[in-house]
């Protein structure tokens, strides 16, 4: 027996088990092959492939497709299993049609996309219709064998279509039926007692053993045998695209020039703009080095596409590791010179790295949608946003379960508002109610009987996918129609989104470009326009705010309310304690101020102010000098691993990446053992290894690489300069762009502290946006 109709919790609000749990259970039950056939989606496909590889299973790719206009009496659905690469693309297109075509009709559309698929259904009408159109069909026997006189069996015999056992599973164990029913009640917005029989799967819809399935179908053993016959047709093991680069399309490209030559010409033209016509030898050497690597890795089109996108806006902030690239700098994608600030290009690209480039681009927050729309228009049908899979978090799960239990909002609120505020899925505890009861502040609260049970259900729901959302900025552009690679849906805001999240898209080889919105770029734009409106000459493209003494003093004194990224109380306090306002130190501060680095911040301040320090080990003498012997940037992890433990660059980059991943504990332990062994071979003792490893762990999934910090610091200095020299115009722009860390009242108070007068609204003078002039703000 091979399970051909298995649903995970990606069959939203139906399935209860994760893909990893299903694969683990299937292996325990002795299965060699396993199909994942979630309803109308391939959300979990990439995770499924990885889990099957981990468990030694052979994956069968598929999905269940439902009709939009399902007649309750005549169930209209079909399970599509993939035979080959063409079948995979057809399945992606079919799922896309299911989600995006309001007139989708399964009976009509399936034959159009059936090549490369085996289709299982129990709908007699569909069997008769599709058989005549050459669809590779099998009759799905869902639960128990039917009498041979049944219409479905008659149809199978007449049309010579095989009967196949498809006892669909929605959960792993019989007891999980309760969780399944809870999900269905939440979906239906009703109580458990009001669920109808058609609203749920039967209690025996769990993943059973081959022996149990054999007993269920003992009067029709051929249905079991046919699962093996069908599996032999299903050779496809998952998509293997390689790296899918966005295609560069421009009239210039029609001249027949190689795309690498076109990139080189644009880079040198940009280099003349950045550095002047007489390029220094070190600049040319760096450009040629980067172009060689980019060309070798076939990434030229990526840079040209991004360059084409950013031309739509005069004010952007290219950030991330890509800011270490002089090619990106010359193309205007980033705004920080990597040579001047000693940025480490190998953190972005290196010959041993298989990952595609990843550059994040910030646009003014109110311009970003126009940029996205232009991309969708240019690459119509070949571009989509990356999705986010929103999971049940504990607080959400508690509220939803309590509603299903029929509790009133007042009681739900009384309990849920007392639950931990920053409460994530991996912090869920089954005995939380008991722990809450023990706290003094809750001793007068009566937890009635349902609540322990509610918390138990909530724990089991936590981490289950709830719905699809849109990633903040990730967009993928493909050479072929994008639904050749992955199914596409339409988000509520109208944009196309792929069914995979960021990690799955990257693992599949789809190259993501992040186009994000940044309020501070809107602030800079509006402040500069306000300055120009006041008749003041100011060339924004020609000023270097990081070299301005007054701006440096303001930054050093923490006078940065309203300034991008450096206005939080923690950052302003760090600035005051450091008493330095240089660009180089602000780059350090932007990255070191991470949640798990408090003890290292204290040590940094001591060393900054002259306290003697020695590197933890002589091998680190030259690695961390710039940051006083403390790991500050992401790439410091890689550098230390190479220098101290003998890692190669690929291994070191793997350690850096795993720090930001979910479920990293086991892999981190493996890295620690390799790190410790390598360090000891180089003469590092246990104490020193632990000191360095603890510093590595302080990154804890939240840190910046130096190029990213430098890009942020550049925007921080631009805003700090405008605040220092044009306070009225700057504060007006901050408020008009809906502020940052603080309220409008706080920014008005800050303006007054700086000696700016706040004028009352005037019907003759006031405009929609706040305006500043001559140290006065017109509201």
């Amino acid at each position: 027996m091979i399970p051909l109709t298995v649903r995970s919790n990606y069959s939203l609000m139906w399935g209860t088990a994760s893909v990893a749990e299903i694969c683990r259970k299937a292996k325990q039950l002795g299965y060699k092959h396993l199909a994942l056939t979630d309803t109308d989606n391939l959300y979990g496909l990439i995770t499924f492939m990885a889990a099957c590889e981990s468990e030694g299973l052979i994956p069968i790719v598929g999905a269940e497709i439902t009709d939009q206009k399902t007649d309750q009496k005549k169930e209209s659905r079909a399970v599509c299993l993939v035979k080959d690469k063409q079948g995979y693309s057809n399945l992606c297109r079919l799922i896309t049609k299911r989600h995006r075509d309001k007139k989708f009709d399964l009976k009509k559309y399936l034959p159009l996309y059936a090549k490369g698929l085996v289709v299982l259904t129990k709908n007699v009408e569909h069997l008769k219709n599709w058989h005549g159109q050459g669809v590779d069909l099998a009759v799905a026997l869902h639960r128990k064998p039917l009498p041979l006189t049944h219409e479905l069996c008659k149809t199978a015999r007449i049309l010579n279509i095989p009967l196949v056992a498809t006892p669909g599973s929605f959960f792993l164990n019989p007891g999980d039926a309760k969780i399944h029913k809870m999900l269905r009640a939440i979906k239906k917005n009703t109580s458990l007692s009001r669920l109808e029989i058609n609203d749920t799967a039967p209690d025996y819809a769990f993943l059973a053993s081959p022996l149990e399935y054999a007993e269920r179908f003992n009067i029709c053993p051929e249905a079991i045998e046919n699962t093996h016959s069908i599996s032999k047709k299903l050779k496809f093991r998952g998509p293997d695209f390689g790296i899918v680069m966005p295609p560069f399309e421009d009239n210039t490209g029609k001249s027949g020039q190689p795309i690498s030559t076109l990139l080189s010409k644009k880079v040198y033209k940009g280099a003349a703009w950045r550095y002047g016509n007489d390029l220094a030898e070190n600049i040319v050497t760096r450009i040629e080095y980067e172009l060689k690597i980019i060309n070798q890795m076939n990434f030229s089109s990526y840079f040209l596409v991004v360059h084409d996108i950013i031309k739509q806006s005069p004010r952007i902030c290219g950030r991330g590791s890509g800011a270490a690239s002089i090619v990106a700098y010359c193309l205007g994608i980033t705004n920080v010179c990597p040579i001047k600030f000693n940025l480490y290009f190998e953190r972005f690209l290196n010959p041993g790295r298989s990952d595609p480039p990843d550059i994040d681009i910030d646009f003014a927050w109110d311009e970003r949608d126009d940029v996205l729309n232009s991309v969708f228009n240019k690459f119509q049908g070949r571009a989509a946003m990356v999705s986010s899979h929103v999971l049940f978090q504990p607080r959400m799960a508690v509220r939803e379960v309590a509603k299903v239990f029929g509790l009133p909002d007042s009681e739900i609120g009384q309990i849920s508002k007392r639950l931990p505020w920053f409460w994530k899925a991996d912090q869920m505890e089954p005995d939380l109610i008991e722990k809450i009861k023990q706290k003094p502040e809750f001793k007068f609260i009566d937890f009635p009987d349902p609540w322990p049970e509610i918390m138990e259900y909530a724990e089991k729901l936590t981490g289950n996918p709830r719905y699809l959302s849109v990633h903040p900025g990730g967009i993928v552009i493909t050479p072929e129609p994008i639904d050749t690679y992955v199914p596409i849906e339409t988000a509520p805001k109208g944009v196309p989104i792929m069914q995979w999240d960021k990690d799955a898209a990257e693992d599949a080889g789809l190259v993501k470009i992040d186009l994000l919105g940044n309020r501070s770029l809107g602030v800079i734009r509006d402040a500069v326009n306000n300055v120009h409106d006041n008749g003041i000459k100011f060339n924004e493209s020609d000023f270097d705010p990081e070299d301005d003494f007054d701006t440096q003093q303001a930054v050093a004194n923490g006078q940065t309310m309203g300034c991008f990224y450096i206005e939080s109380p923690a950052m302003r306090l760090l600035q005051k304690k450091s008493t330095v306002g240089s660009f180089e130190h602000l780059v350090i501060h932007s990255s070191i101020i991470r949640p798990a680095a408090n003890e290292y911040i204290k040590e940094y301040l001591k060393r900054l102010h002259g306290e003697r320090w020695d590197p933890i080990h002589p091998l680190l003498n030259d690695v961390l000098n710039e940051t006083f012997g403390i790991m500050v940037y992401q790439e410091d992890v890689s550098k230390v691993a190479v220098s101290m433990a003998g890692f190669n660059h690929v291994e070191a980059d793997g350690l850096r990446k795993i720090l930001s991943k979910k479920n990293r504990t086991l892999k981190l332990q493996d890295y620690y053992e390799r790190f410790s062994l390598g360090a000891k071979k180089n003469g590092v003792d246990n104490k020193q290894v632990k000191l360095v490893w603890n510093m590595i762990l302080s990154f804890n999934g939240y840190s910046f690489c130096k190029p990213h910090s430098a890009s942020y610091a550049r925007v921080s200095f631009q805003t700090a300069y405008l605040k220092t020299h044009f306070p009225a115009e700057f504060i007006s722009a901050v408020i008009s762009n809906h502020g940052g860390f603080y309220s409008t009242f706080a920014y008005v108070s800050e303006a007054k502290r700086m000696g700016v007068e706040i004028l009352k609204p005037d019907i003759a003078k006031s405009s929609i946006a706040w305006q500043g002039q001559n140290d006065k703000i017109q509201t």
Side-chain angles (χ1 to χ4, degrees):
M1 171 68 185
I2 295 176
L4 295 179
T5 50
V6 179
R7 285 87 167 183
S8 73
N9 54 16
Y10 280 116
S11 287
L12 302 182
M13 309 307 288
W14 274 92
T16 67
S18 71
V19 169
E21 289 170 335
I22 291 170
C23 291
R24 202 175 305 124
K25 179 76 171 181
K27 182 181 180 181
Q28 291 170 0
L29 293 172
Y31 290 110
K32 303 296 183 186
H33 295 71
L34 181 69
L36 183 69
T37 56
D38 281 315
T39 305
D40 296 323
N41 74 75
L42 294 177
Y43 298 155
L45 173 58
I46 305 302
T47 307
F48 175 60
M49 290 164 56
C52 282
E53 183 178 1
S54 176
E55 299 294 345
L57 297 171
I58 298 173
I60 295 173
V61 178
E64 179 185 49
I65 312 297
T66 63
D67 209 328
Q68 287 182 348
K69 301 173 182 177
T70 300
D71 184 340
Q72 292 295 331
K73 295 180 181 178
K74 287 189 176 181
E75 191 176 40
S76 180
R77 57 183 63 224
V79 170
C80 299
L81 302 174
V82 178
K83 293 194 282 190
D84 51 33
K85 185 177 178 181
Q86 183 179 7
Y88 172 76
S89 293
N90 276 334
L91 180 59
C92 289
R93 295 186 188 106
L94 186 61
I95 296 173
T96 300
K97 285 285 185 184
R98 167 63 180 79
H99 285 280
R100 304 195 76 194
D101 189 340
K102 293 179 180 178
K103 297 180 180 179
F104 179 82
D105 181 344
L106 184 62
K107 178 181 174 182
K108 170 186 173 184
Y109 276 106
L110 188 138
L112 302 177
Y113 300 99
K115 194 164 185 181
L117 299 174
V118 173
V119 179
L120 318 179
T121 184
K122 67 172 187 176
N123 186 295
V124 172
E125 183 183 353
H126 290 341
L127 287 167
K128 292 177 179 177
N129 182 276
W130 295 340
H131 179 264
Q133 298 184 58
V135 178
D136 191 349
L137 289 167
V139 175
L141 300 182
H142 281 5
R143 293 163 190 169
K144 294 180 180 178
L146 298 165
L148 294 179
T149 55
H150 190 278
E151 185 183 6
L152 193 58
C153 294
K154 286 181 180 179
T155 304
R157 189 169 60 253
I158 292 168
L159 299 178
N160 195 27
I161 300 173
L163 296 167
V164 180
T166 57
S169 64
F170 292 88
F171 35 90
L172 289 185
N173 304 298
D176 297 337
K178 294 179 181 178
I179 305 301
H180 164 73
K181 289 173 182 175
M182 182 64 66
L183 285 170
R184 298 305 300 144
I186 293 171
K187 175 66 176 177
K188 293 283 185 178
N189 195 25
T190 187
S191 64
L192 284 169
S193 59
R194 293 186 176 181
L195 278 176
E196 297 180 9
I197 192 167
N198 290 335
D199 293 333
T200 64
D203 290 352
Y204 52 80
F206 59 91
L207 184 61
S209 67
L211 183 60
E212 183 166 344
Y213 285 140
E215 290 175 355
R216 290 191 200 177
F217 288 85
N218 58 4
I219 65 168
C220 188
E222 67 177 282
I224 297 286
E225 288 302 317
N226 284 336
T227 64
H228 294 274
S229 302
I230 285 175
S231 73
K232 291 176 183 177
K233 300 180 181 180
L234 308 173
K235 306 294 186 184
F236 187 76
R237 300 294 172 243
D240 184 16
F241 311 127
I243 293 179
V244 182
M245 278 289 149
F248 177 68
E249 297 172 0
D250 186 83
N251 292 334
T252 320
K254 293 182 179 178
S255 62
Q257 298 178 86
I259 199 164
S260 57
T261 303
L262 185 58
L263 176 63
S264 180
K265 286 183 177 180
K266 287 181 180 289
V267 168
Y268 275 102
K269 182 179 179 181
W273 162 60
R274 290 291 196 187
Y275 299 108
N277 290 321
D278 295 324
L279 298 178
E281 184 179 350
N282 65 329
I283 292 171
V284 174
T285 301
R286 176 71 174 257
I287 288 174
E288 288 299 320
Y289 170 70
E290 290 192 16
L291 285 174
K292 181 181 177 182
I293 291 177
I294 291 167
N295 186 36
Q296 283 176 349
M297 301 179 81
N298 296 316
F299 292 162
S300 297
S301 65
Y302 178 88
F303 286 87
L304 290 169
V305 168
V306 174
H307 174 248
D308 204 38
I309 292 171
I310 61 103
K311 286 192 298 185
Q312 299 175 64
S313 177
R315 190 176 292 96
I316 59 121
C317 172
R319 52 185 176 87
S321 60
S325 167
I326 198 170
V327 166
Y329 180 62
C330 292
L331 292 173
I333 295 169
T334 59
N335 292 309
V336 177
C337 174
I339 293 179
K340 180 179 178 181
F341 296 109
N342 189 29
L343 302 181
Y344 180 56
F345 175 71
E346 284 71 17
R347 163 65 180 85
F348 176 52
L349 289 178
N350 63 70
R353 181 177 175 177
S354 59
D355 295 354
D358 185 9
I359 301 176
D360 298 344
I361 313 292
D362 284 352
F363 297 87
W365 66 280
D366 51 356
E367 298 173 7
R368 180 236 187 194
D369 282 352
D370 289 338
V371 174
L372 282 174
N373 287 336
S374 71
V375 173
F376 289 133
N377 288 333
K378 180 171 183 177
F379 298 97
Q380 200 159 27
R382 292 182 292 151
M385 300 289 291
V386 177
S387 69
S388 290
H389 295 173
V390 179
L391 311 179
F392 274 104
Q393 293 299 331
R395 291 172 67 90
M396 180 200 300
V398 168
R399 292 194 64 87
E400 293 287 1
V401 173
K403 282 166 61 180
V404 167
F405 269 72
L407 298 183
D409 286 342
S410 57
E411 184 177 339
I412 296 172
Q414 184 188 28
I415 303 296
S416 65
K417 71 184 179 184
R418 289 174 168 83
L419 298 175
W421 182 252
F422 295 104
W423 198 27
K424 300 295 183 184
D426 58 358
Q427 298 168 326
M428 189 72 191
E429 300 177 54
D431 58 346
L432 183 64
I433 284 291
E434 291 304 315
K435 290 187 177 181
I436 291 176
K437 285 181 182 180
Q438 293 166 15
K439 294 184 178 182
E441 61 265 40
F442 299 127
K443 63 184 177 181
F444 298 113
I445 299 176
D446 177 33
F447 288 91
D449 250 3
W451 278 100
E453 191 176 359
I454 288 170
M455 297 304 293
E456 185 181 343
Y457 276 116
E459 182 198 7
K460 291 176 180 176
L461 291 188
T462 297
N464 265 27
R466 181 72 170 91
Y467 57 88
L468 227 60
S469 182
V470 185
H471 184 273
I475 188 170
V476 169
I477 305 168
T478 54
E480 302 297 326
I482 194 162
D483 61 4
T484 305
Y485 306 89
V486 55
I488 304 299
E489 299 184 21
T490 302
K493 66 183 291 184
V495 299
I497 58 170
M498 65 174 60
Q499 290 196 332
W500 296 339
D501 66 6
K502 175 179 74 73
D503 291 339
E506 290 174 352
D507 289 345
L510 300 181
V511 177
K512 170 176 63 71
I513 303 171
D514 279 316
L515 308 177
L516 302 137
N518 186 320
R519 288 193 184 276
S520 288
L521 293 178
V523 169
I524 294 169
R525 174 199 63 207
D526 293 347
V528 169
N529 288 343
N530 195 172
V531 168
H532 289 160
D533 291 342
N534 293 337
I536 301 171
K537 290 184 179 180
F538 178 73
N539 187 352
E540 183 188 358
S541 62
D542 202 30
F543 85 125
D544 294 309
E546 57 267 25
D547 297 330
D548 181 70
F549 177 77
D550 291 338
T551 303
Q552 289 180 357
Q553 287 299 108
V555 170
N557 294 328
Q559 296 172 352
T560 52
M561 272 188 68
C563 299
F564 175 68
Y565 202 73
I566 55 174
E567 66 166 334
S568 71
M571 181 58 95
R572 289 191 291 131
L573 182 61
L574 176 58
Q575 287 303 127
K576 287 179 183 178
K577 287 183 176 180
S578 72
T579 68
V580 293
S582 67
F583 182 84
E584 291 77 5
H585 281 94
L586 195 63
V587 174
I588 293 174
H589 298 172
S590 295
S591 191
I592 200 172
I593 194 159
R594 56 184 186 267
N598 285 340
E599 63 175 291
Y600 300 110
I601 292 173
K602 292 175 185 175
E603 189 62 31
Y604 161 75
L605 290 171
K606 290 178 187 176
R607 297 177 183 185
L608 176 65
H609 292 308
E611 186 173 295
R612 188 179 179 281
W613 62 276
D614 294 308
I616 294 174
H617 189 276
L619 286 172
L620 302 182
N621 270 341
D622 300 325
V623 178
L624 301 175
N625 278 348
E626 182 185 332
T627 54
F628 304 92
I630 294 169
M631 277 188 262
V632 171
Y633 309 116
Q634 285 179 353
E635 57 266 44
D636 290 344
V637 173
S638 302
K639 290 178 180 178
V640 167
V642 169
S643 177
M644 191 174 186
F647 280 35
N648 61 41
H649 286 287
V650 176
E651 292 172 327
D653 200 47
L655 170 58
R656 173 196 63 77
K657 287 193 288 187
I658 202 66
L659 288 167
S660 63
K661 296 291 184 182
K662 303 171 186 175
N663 306 321
R664 61 198 181 124
T665 308
L666 289 176
K667 289 186 178 179
L668 260 186
Q669 181 60 34
D670 177 55
Y671 270 110
Y672 173 71
E673 290 171 5
R674 289 158 59 191
F675 182 88
S676 178
L677 185 63
K680 286 173 184 175
K681 283 182 181 177
N682 288 328
V684 185
D685 63 37
N686 277 333
K687 183 179 178 182
Q688 292 167 328
V689 168
K690 287 179 180 177
L691 284 171
V692 173
W693 189 254
N694 286 338
M695 206 184 297
I696 288 173
L697 293 183
S698 75
F699 284 78
N700 198 29
Y702 182 91
S703 59
F704 290 162
C705 57
K706 186 180 178 184
H708 183 91
S709 286
S711 299
Y712 265 11
R714 170 76 179 176
V715 179
S716 297
F717 258 96
Q718 288 174 324
T719 53
Y721 180 95
L722 291 169
K723 181 180 182 182
T724 302
H725 295 281
F726 308 104
E729 291 88 343
F730 176 75
I731 295 293
S732 295
V734 170
I735 295 172
S736 296
N737 282 276
H738 311 296
F741 200 88
Y742 304 97
S743 65
T744 298
F745 177 80
Y747 291 119
V748 169
S749 300
E750 174 70 357
K752 290 179 178 178
R753 184 195 66 76
M754 298 175 71
V756 175
E757 183 182 354
I758 309 297
L759 304 177
K760 294 179 180 179
D762 186 318
I763 195 169
K765 299 178 181 178
S766 296
S767 61
I768 294 174
W770 292 40
Q771 297 292 317
Q773 185 176 21
N774 299 328
D775 290 334
K776 295 178 181 178
I777 291 177
Q778 180 66 64
T779 60

